[in-house]
Amino acid sequence: QQLDVEGYRAIYAHAEGWLQLAMDLSLVTLQSRKEVCGMRHGDFRGGFLFVIRDKVAAKTQMAFIRISLTPELEALRERARKLDAVVSPYLVHRRPDRMQRRWIQGKDHWTYVNERYLTQSFAAARDAIPRYAALPERERPTFHEIRGLGSRLHLGHGVPKGDIQELMTHSNPRTTEIYLEKGAAALTDDDYRPVSAPFSLRELLGT
């Protein structure tokens, strides 16, 4: 089932602060859970938020975009800084309930929230809503549906479909080759396509 604004708000009310931030980041930037989980403070530079997306048309193609910073994106970043008493390189982060080596192995920082945990946490908040709990599980909206809601809201505000598509994904085979061979450090800022995410949460959600 498609996620609507009413459903978004209901799930949001049952979500922890870090998950609320993840939801808002996805709604404003139209990025998926992997990109939202991976957003770092270091990705903000020169008036842009730099994003690498690796799920596009083919496994050998990747999307490299730089989203123009807006007051809303700056506010979301500031929310991340004030999320808790933990200093983290990631915007979306949390302190584990228990520090166990098996839970932090493989992470480059112990506050990192992986995609699976994000999905499970969103589902738990969603299932607290009677409207969604009454649906068969396969029909309940997932975190991924936030991108769909955001794209429809952007379209409703007059953003051309082509601009929405570029914000959601854009592949460049040449840049992909550089990235796969040498890594992100080999890319210049000009290798990232400039896009915009112009709306605030207030504008998108009508609050």
Side-chain angles (χ1 to χ4, degrees), residues 52-56 58-64 169-173 175-176 179-180:
I52 296 175
R53 297 200 63 236
D54 63 4
K55 287 189 177 180
V56 288
K59 291 183 179 180
T60 55
Q61 292 183 322
M62 306 180 77
F64 302 84
T169 187
H170 174 82
S171 63
N172 184 324
T175 306
T176 297
Y179 177 83
L180 293 177

Side-chain angles (χ1 to χ4, degrees), residues 1-3 140-150 152:
Q1 187 178 100
Q2 283 189 333
L3 186 65
R140 301 171 194 174
T142 63
F143 186 90
H144 182 75
E145 291 300 320
I146 295 176
R147 295 183 77 211
L149 171 61
R152 292 191 297 276

Side-chain angles (χ1 to χ4, degrees), residues 140-169:
R140 301 171 194 174
T142 63
F143 186 90
H144 182 75
E145 291 300 320
I146 295 176
R147 295 183 77 211
L149 171 61
S151 64
R152 292 191 297 276
L153 293 174
H154 276 69
L155 191 64
H157 280 77
V159 178
K161 287 184 178 179
D163 290 354
I164 295 172
Q165 180 66 20
E166 287 200 349
L167 181 59
M168 296 180 79
T169 187

Side-chain angles (χ1 to χ4, degrees), residues 34-207:
K34 185 177 182 66
E35 288 69 51
V36 167
C37 287
M39 286 181 182
R40 295 169 170 261
H41 290 285
D43 296 331
F44 288 75
R45 61 182 187 271
F48 294 94
L49 166 60
F50 288 77
V51 178
I52 296 175
R53 297 200 63 236
D54 63 4
K55 287 189 177 180
V56 288
K59 291 183 179 180
T60 55
Q61 292 183 322
M62 306 180 77
F64 302 84
I65 61 174
R66 47 190 169 114
I67 305 172
S68 301
L69 287 187
T70 61
E72 188 66 52
L73 283 175
E74 294 282 15
L76 289 169
R77 187 185 183 191
E78 190 61 26
R79 270 176 59 188
R81 289 197 179 104
K82 298 177 178 178
L83 195 57
D84 47 35
V86 176
V87 177
S88 174
Y90 293 99
L91 272 69
V92 175
H93 66 275
R94 68 182 292 273
R95 182 194 294 274
D97 297 328
R98 290 179 292 173
M99 295 289 286
Q100 293 190 10
R101 184 177 298 276
R102 65 187 177 89
W103 289 347
I104 62 177
Q105 278 184 328
K107 294 183 180 181
D108 63 356
H109 198 272
W110 59 275
T111 61
Y112 175 72
V113 176
N114 64 38
E115 299 166 58
R116 182 179 179 184
Y117 190 83
L118 176 68
T119 296
Q120 292 172 341
S121 299
F122 180 85
R126 176 204 64 205
D127 292 348
I129 313 302
R131 165 187 173 186
Y132 294 127
L135 292 173
E137 188 168 350
R138 57 188 261 174
E139 294 181 19
R140 301 171 194 174
T142 63
F143 186 90
H144 182 75
E145 291 300 320
I146 295 176
R147 295 183 77 211
L149 171 61
S151 64
R152 292 191 297 276
L153 293 174
H154 276 69
L155 191 64
H157 280 77
V159 178
K161 287 184 178 179
D163 290 354
I164 295 172
Q165 180 66 20
E166 287 200 349
L167 181 59
M168 296 180 79
T169 187
H170 174 82
S171 63
N172 184 324
R174 184 192 68 81
T175 306
T176 297
E177 286 184 21
I178 296 173
Y179 177 83
L180 293 177
E181 182 179 345
K182 300 180 180 179
L187 301 177
T188 69
D189 288 356
D190 289 337
D191 287 317
Y192 294 77
R193 185 178 181 86
V195 296
S196 62
F199 300 113
S200 67
L201 290 166
R202 182 180 295 274
E203 290 170 318
L204 289 174
L205 297 174
T207 55

